[in-house]
Amino acid sequence: MRAPAGAARPGRRLATRANTSVRSVNYASSPLLASPTPAWRSKLLVALVGLAFCGLIARAAYVQILGAAFFQKQGEIRYARTLELTASRGRITDRNGLILASSVPAPSLWAIPKDFSADAAQRRELARLLGMTPQALNERLDDSPNFVWLRRQVEAPVLDAVKALNLPGVHQVREFKRKYPEGEAAAQLVGFTDIEDKGIAGIEVAFQKELAGRDGSRRVIKDRLGRVVEDIGDSVAALDGRDVSLFIDSKVQFFAYQRIRDAVAEHKAKAGSVVVLDAQSGQVLALANFPSYSPADRRRLTPAQLRNGALSDTFEPGSTMKPFVAGWAMETGRVTPQTVLHTAPGRLQMYGANITDSHPHGDLTVAETIQKSSNVGAVRMAMQFEPREMWELYSQVGFGQKPQLGFPGAATGRLRPYKTWRPIEQATMSYGYGLSASLFQIARAYTVFAHDGELMPVTLVRPREATGAGAPSEPAARPAGIRVLSPQTARAVRQMLQLAAGPGGTAPKAQTIGYSVGGKSGTAYKQEGKGYASKKYRAWFVGMAPIDNPRIIVAVMVDEPSNGHYFGGEVAAPVFSEVVQQTLRSLNVPPDIEVRPQIVTAKLPAAVEESF
């Protein structure tokens, strides 16, 4: 059906009305648009845009100019690394170039826990290889997400086994581990280092600066996997530490250690020490102590094991002081070796105190006083001295003064000023009570007799320019010492010391096959608190050989022997005998007395009990 003509269609009418509505809107008359816009709004907008651009420019200037160094450094932190080039620690060698301490490569294992991945079986195997429990391994990995040490300085088999596991996040770094070929024999002398290769004891700490050297560095760029991509800048090469050479003879050191170890065991003693000096040069050939420790296993190390007792432990030197008193009495013309001293009935009362000998000897010559070790005879000579005179004698031979060895822990000992001495104290000091010294100080003091009246300077470390020079087994040139006695007096005392170490003396067990010897034994009660222990002793012997032209001085001390014998002539003298014989043979010193092959069936003559 068609629409009537002239009738508008519905769609057309709607469109017409819409167009008419649009044309009828007057936007200019809108109250929103008709309100005037404030001028400050547009200016504020422009200002804000301008300030933003100024801020960007200022920030760019700060980043590019003022803070350039900081931002470059922050950038480098994210890609650049400084690798440390570890210096190798110097070696410690003996007089013949044999190694006492050296460093060997020993890689260490570390991990990045956040990158670490392993199943339960692999974790158990890794823990076993590292010597820990799986729980301990897990706790260590939980310590930090970025870095943990797994184990420092591992052996090659352990490293190879860990590498075979092929675990992500486990890495290795090159380090060095210290090795000590002489082990217990030289442990307290050489010392040891910690895990960071820093000296802790002995020569290792005394010469830390020389041995350590200087680490180098290398600047590199690494990728995100930690691989080196490129070197940047100049590398600084590592400067290895220099070697330190000692005058110690490792053969003599080892043999001395064995002998004192055996003596401590035989006599059920607490400890023992041996000092061996070259009598002609003052060089230290051995410093041995027992008990000792293994530098490779320090898990149960005690302070007593660490101490170098020969240098650090002091005690009253006892009868070893009597030869100095006799020597000075002869030097000043007060006596001769044949002067008779009245020692009967074996005791002397002075200022309310009794000075006694082990048993009565009757009248003794000065030489016999030293041979029999008479306290009364020593006091008879000493009381002829002024206190200052006796103090100066003891000071001159090194008592009360720290040995200049450059070794940590060397003891000074005790020698009180003479103005504080009472007469009875001067008397007891003549036979070694009332002052203290280390075994090393006593050995050095005896260079006065061995070196024809001169106190020798002692040296432990070879000068750098002398390292490797000459034949170490040959005697060194005779350096000048401090004159204390005349050569004639020193030789006379040596003859007395030979008597003391022979039949009729206090230490016939000091005799050595092929070599003449001389020396003085000593025995003293140990101090406890303000008094003395009734059944605790120290026994020692110090002497030299060959007696006419001494090449070595050997001092032996045994602390608290408790197996029935405690006199120095019984306990320390046999150690002296063995060390002397071995050392002189090692130094190629020819025998000075005839050696006759024979079967020995008789016992050595009994020692005279010394007074103490």
Side-chain angles (χ1 to χ4, degrees):
M1 182 174 180
R2 297 181 65 180
R9 295 190 178 125
R12 185 177 179 84
R13 286 197 301 269
L14 292 173
T16 302
R17 284 198 298 269
N19 291 336
T20 303
S21 298
V22 171
R23 284 195 301 268
S24 65
V25 174
N26 188 353
Y27 289 97
S29 62
S30 171
L32 180 63
L33 297 177
S35 61
T37 303
W40 62 266
R41 187 177 295 177
S42 60
K43 292 179 180 180
L44 177 62
L45 181 61
V46 172
L48 290 176
V49 173
L51 287 175
F53 274 106
C54 288
L56 291 174
I57 293 171
R59 180 63 178 172
Y62 175 75
V63 171
Q64 297 294 330
I65 301 172
L66 299 178
F70 171 77
F71 288 103
Q72 286 177 350
K73 183 178 180 180
Q74 293 300 309
E76 286 187 4
I77 288 175
R78 287 155 177 79
Y79 66 79
R81 298 287 186 273
T82 299
L83 303 181
E84 186 178 84
L85 303 178
T86 306
S88 178
R89 190 174 178 85
R91 302 177 303 168
I92 300 174
T93 62
D94 78 343
R95 65 192 292 113
N96 300 306
L98 297 178
I99 294 175
L100 300 176
S102 65
S103 295
V104 297
S108 293
L109 294 170
W110 59 280
I112 304 175
K114 64 183 180 182
D115 296 338
F116 181 79
S117 177
D119 57 31
Q122 289 175 320
R123 282 180 177 253
R124 286 195 299 270
E125 179 62 14
L126 177 61
R128 186 188 67 81
L129 292 171
L130 298 177
M132 61 177 68
T133 64
Q135 182 182 357
L137 175 61
N138 292 334
E139 290 175 354
R140 182 166 298 186
L141 291 170
D142 291 340
D143 281 346
S144 169
N146 297 315
F147 176 88
V148 293
W149 286 111
L150 293 178
R151 186 175 169 189
R152 304 286 296 274
Q153 300 178 353
V154 300
E155 301 294 338
V158 175
L159 176 65
D160 293 340
V162 172
K163 288 171 66 176
L165 294 176
N166 196 26
L167 299 175
V170 176
H171 307 275
Q172 62 170 308
V173 64
R174 182 172 179 261
E175 290 191 312
F176 291 95
K177 185 176 183 179
R178 209 66 168 157
K179 294 288 188 179
Y180 301 95
E182 293 300 313
E184 294 182 359
Q188 292 149 329
L189 171 65
V190 177
F192 59 90
T193 61
D194 62 11
I195 195 71
E196 302 296 340
D197 222 17
K198 181 180 179 181
I200 298 298
I203 295 296
E204 292 278 28
V205 69
F207 292 87
Q208 166 66 19
K209 184 176 179 181
E210 293 85 348
L211 290 165
R214 186 185 66 220
D215 291 340
S217 61
R218 175 190 174 198
R219 194 76 174 152
V220 300
I221 295 175
K222 286 188 174 184
D223 64 12
R224 69 181 185 86
L225 298 177
R227 296 173 298 191
V228 175
V229 176
E230 180 183 355
D231 285 316
I232 55 176
D234 295 329
S235 297
V236 178
L239 179 64
D240 290 341
R242 74 174 180 86
D243 294 347
V244 171
S245 179
L246 308 181
F247 282 118
I248 293 293
D249 187 313
S250 59
K251 293 180 180 178
V252 177
Q253 176 76 21
F254 181 72
F255 190 81
Y257 172 75
Q258 283 187 320
R259 297 286 74 78
I260 194 63
R261 179 194 63 192
D262 295 346
V264 168
E266 178 185 352
H267 296 285
K268 297 181 180 179
K270 182 178 178 181
S273 301
V274 178
V275 176
V276 183
L277 301 181
D278 188 314
Q280 298 184 15
S281 65
Q283 296 168 2
V284 182
L285 302 180
L287 285 171
N289 299 275
F290 186 84
S292 185
Y293 63 93
S294 172
D297 183 9
R298 304 190 296 271
R299 289 173 294 181
R300 290 178 290 274
L301 190 60
T302 65
Q305 291 173 301
L306 270 177
R307 281 202 320 273
N308 193 317
L311 282 165
S312 62
D313 292 351
T314 60
F315 52 89
E316 291 178 311
S319 296
T320 57
M321 302 303 296
K322 294 172 184 174
F324 295 102
V325 173
W328 189 248
M330 290 188 292
E331 182 72 13
T332 54
R334 293 181 171 99
V335 299
T336 67
Q338 289 76 38
T339 298
V340 176
L341 302 173
H342 181 64
T343 66
R347 63 179 180 273
L348 178 65
Q349 191 172 34
M350 292 182 61
Y351 307 98
N354 285 320
I355 298 170
T356 61
D357 287 339
S358 58
H359 51 271
H361 294 293
D363 291 340
L364 298 174
T365 65
V366 171
E368 289 171 337
T369 296
I370 302 302
Q371 180 187 25
K372 309 294 184 182
S373 193
S374 169
N375 290 345
V376 176
V379 171
R380 295 278 189 200
M381 289 184 284
M383 296 312 291
Q384 300 178 48
F385 306 154
E386 292 294 329
R388 179 175 181 175
E389 190 179 1
M390 190 169 171
W391 179 87
E392 288 178 346
L393 170 66
Y394 285 2
S395 295
Q396 275 189 310
V397 297
F399 294 110
Q401 301 173 31
K402 186 174 183 176
Q404 300 302 307
L405 274 183
F407 191 89
T412 302
R414 180 172 61 92
L415 178 63
R416 293 186 297 106
Y418 65 90
K419 291 182 179 180
T420 66
W421 293 4
R422 294 177 297 157
I424 187 60
E425 291 175 323
Q426 180 177 345
T428 60
M429 285 186 191
S430 69
Y431 54 90
Y433 283 89
L435 70 158
S436 66
S438 67
L439 186 67
F440 185 86
Q441 287 177 304
I442 297 173
R444 187 206 175 196
Y446 268 62
T447 62
V448 169
F449 307 130
H451 205 257
D452 288 344
E454 290 183 343
L455 179 72
M456 295 297 300
V458 287
T459 52
L460 177 61
V461 180
R462 302 184 71 184
R464 191 171 185 181
E465 61 274 10
T467 301
S473 60
E474 296 177 0
R478 295 170 69 96
I482 301 172
R483 174 64 62 186
V484 178
L485 302 174
S486 66
Q488 295 78 12
T489 300
R491 294 182 190 120
V493 174
R494 286 208 302 266
Q495 297 305 313
M496 297 178 190
L497 295 176
Q498 187 175 19
L499 291 175
T506 58
K509 291 185 178 180
Q511 293 295 306
T512 300
I513 297 175
Y515 300 100
S516 59
V517 300
K520 187 71 188 73
S521 59
T523 311
Y525 291 111
K526 289 189 66 174
Q527 285 183 307
E528 280 193 351
K530 296 182 179 180
Y532 294 91
S534 60
K535 293 184 179 180
K536 292 183 180 179
Y537 310 90
R538 277 194 178 95
W540 55 88
F541 186 91
V542 55
M544 60 205 69
I547 199 65
D548 289 332
N549 184 24
R551 178 65 196 281
I552 60 172
I553 295 171
V554 176
V556 180
M557 188 276 292
V558 179
D559 185 16
E560 289 190 30
S562 58
N563 198 25
H565 298 287
Y566 52 85
F567 286 110
E570 293 284 342
V571 175
V575 179
F576 167 88
S577 173
E578 295 172 327
V579 173
V580 163
Q581 188 161 331
Q582 180 70 19
T583 301
L584 292 179
R585 288 178 178 177
S586 177
L587 296 177
N588 296 318
V589 177
D592 68 326
I593 57 178
E594 185 179 2
V595 179
R596 296 180 180 178
Q598 57 183 334
I599 299 175
V600 179
T601 57
K603 294 182 179 179
L604 287 172
V608 174
E609 290 187 359
E610 60 189 307
S611 305
F612 65 97

